[in-house]
Structures are given as structure tokens and as C-alpha cells.
Amino acid sequence: MPEGDTVWQTARRLHDALAGRVLTRSDLRVPKYATVDLTGRTVLEVTPRGKHLLTRVEGGLTLHSHLRMDGSWKVYGNAQRWSGGPAHQIRVILGNAERTAVGYRLPVLDLLRTTDESRAVGHLGPDLLGPDWDPDQALVNLLADPARPLGEALLDQRNLAGIGNIYKSELCFLLGATPWLPVGALPADRAAKLPALARKLLEANRDRPVRSTTGRRGQDLFVYGRAPRPCLRCRTPVRAADQGDGSRERPTYWCPGCQQGPAPAPGSPRARRIRPRTGN
């Protein structure tokens, strides 16, 4: 699933292509909005909110979309061939005299009054890349359920908005705690720096084509996707297991040498069998 930095990049591309321009093409390919026509309206802005995208249009309307696992927005020149997928996967087309934005496989697409945006995003915690970022509130939210595993708390967008499965694993590594450690058991000094560290990682990557948490070329991530290769710090084999996020199980990576706390035992139902990969 795209994470906050990826959604921020998508919003910027859409804003650059659409904002301040009159729509000459509008096609919402979902039954609920099949008769809606936005042509003739000016796109005011496209802004991210956590993992959500809000396209605000003249007349007090907002097109709300969410990419989830497979969705994407592509921007094309008007003479350019579309390449984001087959036509039956297109959910929305917004075009002007110069550019066309096409939304593929969007599982969430809603048109609502701009004044009603809270119906779509009002449940979200402070946005790591947004103007409402509040590290103190984010920490209060995270610690509100001290028995909850750290990884689950980080993925809960009601606590802070923008973290996905990759950043979850990387943040837990940088904090020296397994994703299964109860968030209330995280030492106070590490808990205090968690919100700032999370924001630092997303801010550092919002302008990068390739996400990196290590600062090492060719070794972009500390643990995510690296099992069973050696940890970049201590050379202990990185492990992988499934961890729930309240809706589904997700692959989770950690280093048993660098991270302290509970974790699934090797061979347990949640442990993942991953074939060794070549390279570092």
C-alpha cells in the first residue's frame, strides 16, 4: 500500500497538472456518480491527507480517493498513450486542455461537499506531512492503549496519518523495539522521539524517487524485505512474520539482534518462510 510520502508525491503531480485549470473532460466510472459531469469547473487544488487524496473543485466539491493496495493516479499529456492498465480498470478521468489525470483501480472514490470532507478524513490523527502535524497529540494517541503492539499502533491512522507497513518496520528497527512490544513498554526516551523520527523519515523521502531510511546507496532499507539476509548493523539474519493491523495480516520484518521485545517464534503460524536472496 502506498504510504504517506508516496501519496504526497501523487498529490503534487495531480496538483501541478490540474490546479488552476478548467476541466474539459470528466468521467467518473463508478455507478453512484455515472451521471456527474465536472466539465467547465476549475480544479482549485489537490492535497493529501495521510494516505487520502482530496481534489477540490470549483463549486464547493471535493473528489476523495484512496489508493489502498493497487490503486494509482497517472498523468498524461493529451497526445500521450495511457499505460496504467486496461480500460476496464479506469475509475475516473479528469482532463484539461494540456493534461489528463487517470485513476486506475481506485477502491475508494467519493464526491462530496468540500465542507463535508471530515466525513472522509475527520477520523485521522495528525498528518505527518500535513500542516496540522502535532507531535505531542500523536504521542498521546499512540500511548492511549499501552497494551497494544507497537506495530499495530503505528499503522492505526487514527493515531497519526501516513505510516504504512514499510515505515512501521523501519521505525521499529530505529527505535530498537520489535513490532510486538506493547507500546506502553517502549522506554520513555524512545517514545518521546518517535513522532519526530517518523516525520523525519517521511519528509526525507517525499521528494525522492526511491525510498531510503539508511542513507546507503543500494541498501535503502534496514529490515523491510531483507529476510533472511544479515542485518546491516549486527549481521544477525533478519526475520519476517505476519502482524495484523486491525483489518488484515501484513508482512513484518525485524532484527532479533538489534530489536528488543516479544516476537513470533520461528516455525510459528505467523512466521514467514522466505527464500534467501543474493546480495547484501
Side-chain angles (χ1 to χ4, degrees):
M1 178 183 291
E3 311 201 15
D5 54 345
T6 303
V7 175
W8 191 92
Q9 293 172 9
T10 300
R12 184 173 62 179
R13 287 195 300 271
L14 289 172
H15 182 87
D16 291 346
L18 300 176
R21 297 177 174 88
V22 176
L23 291 173
T24 58
R25 183 172 183 182
S26 163
D27 188 357
L28 277 61
R29 298 183 180 181
V30 292
K32 186 177 180 180
Y33 304 115
T35 61
V36 171
D37 184 6
L38 299 176
T39 57
R41 298 175 187 255
T42 299
V43 175
L44 304 178
E45 64 177 334
V46 182
T47 186
R49 181 73 173 86
K51 300 180 185 180
H52 299 250
L53 287 161
L54 302 171
T55 302
R56 294 172 180 147
V57 182
E58 182 184 19
L61 295 176
T62 295
L63 187 66
H64 164 239
S65 59
H66 196 296
L67 306 180
R68 298 245 173 112
M69 292 297 294
D70 300 317
S72 68
W73 278 95
K74 304 291 185 181
V75 175
Y76 304 101
N78 285 344
Q80 193 175 358
R81 182 178 180 181
W82 298 358
S83 57
H88 73 267
Q89 293 182 345
I90 295 174
R91 296 293 176 265
V92 58
I93 302 169
L94 298 176
N96 54 49
E98 299 174 356
R99 309 284 277 172
T100 301
V102 185
Y104 291 90
R105 300 172 299 279
L106 299 175
V108 176
L109 189 68
D110 293 307
L111 186 66
L112 59 155
R113 291 287 177 187
T114 301
T115 54
D116 294 334
E117 285 180 358
S118 61
R119 288 167 38 198
V121 297
H123 65 288
L124 298 174
D127 185 347
L128 282 155
L129 294 178
D132 71 323
W133 173 242
D134 184 339
D136 295 331
Q137 186 59 55
L139 185 59
V140 169
N141 294 347
L142 286 166
L143 297 177
D145 184 357
R148 193 174 191 186
L150 175 60
E152 291 185 20
L154 288 172
L155 283 179
D156 191 334
Q157 303 299 294
R158 297 171 298 180
N159 291 333
L160 68 174
I163 291 177
N165 212 34
I166 296 175
Y167 281 120
K168 174 196 76 172
S169 293
E170 295 295 292
L171 277 167
C172 288
F173 175 83
L174 291 169
L175 292 167
T178 70
W180 291 271
L181 181 77
V183 67
L186 191 66
D189 60 330
R190 296 187 220 173
K193 72 178 184 180
L194 191 163
L197 179 60
R199 181 175 171 86
K200 179 180 179 180
L201 289 181
L202 267 72
E203 277 193 326
N205 284 288
R206 68 182 182 183
D207 293 316
R208 289 176 177 166
V210 177
R211 181 183 290 129
S212 175
T213 60
T214 65
R216 306 181 187 185
R217 182 176 297 180
Q219 297 177 330
D220 299 310
L221 302 173
F222 282 110
V223 290
Y224 189 87
R226 287 189 53 82
R229 288 175 288 170
C231 170
L232 295 179
R233 283 185 177 172
C234 74
R235 311 305 294 174
T236 300
V238 173
R239 287 186 55 202
D242 288 327
Q243 183 180 41
D245 67 345
S247 62
R248 61 193 295 270
E249 295 285 299
R250 299 189 181 205
T252 300
Y253 299 83
W254 79 103
C255 170
C258 294
Q259 295 171 253
Q260 298 178 347
S268 68
R270 283 191 170 182
R272 284 194 159 222
R273 286 188 176 184
I274 298 181
R275 294 181 179 178
R277 295 169 58 185
T278 59
N280 292 324

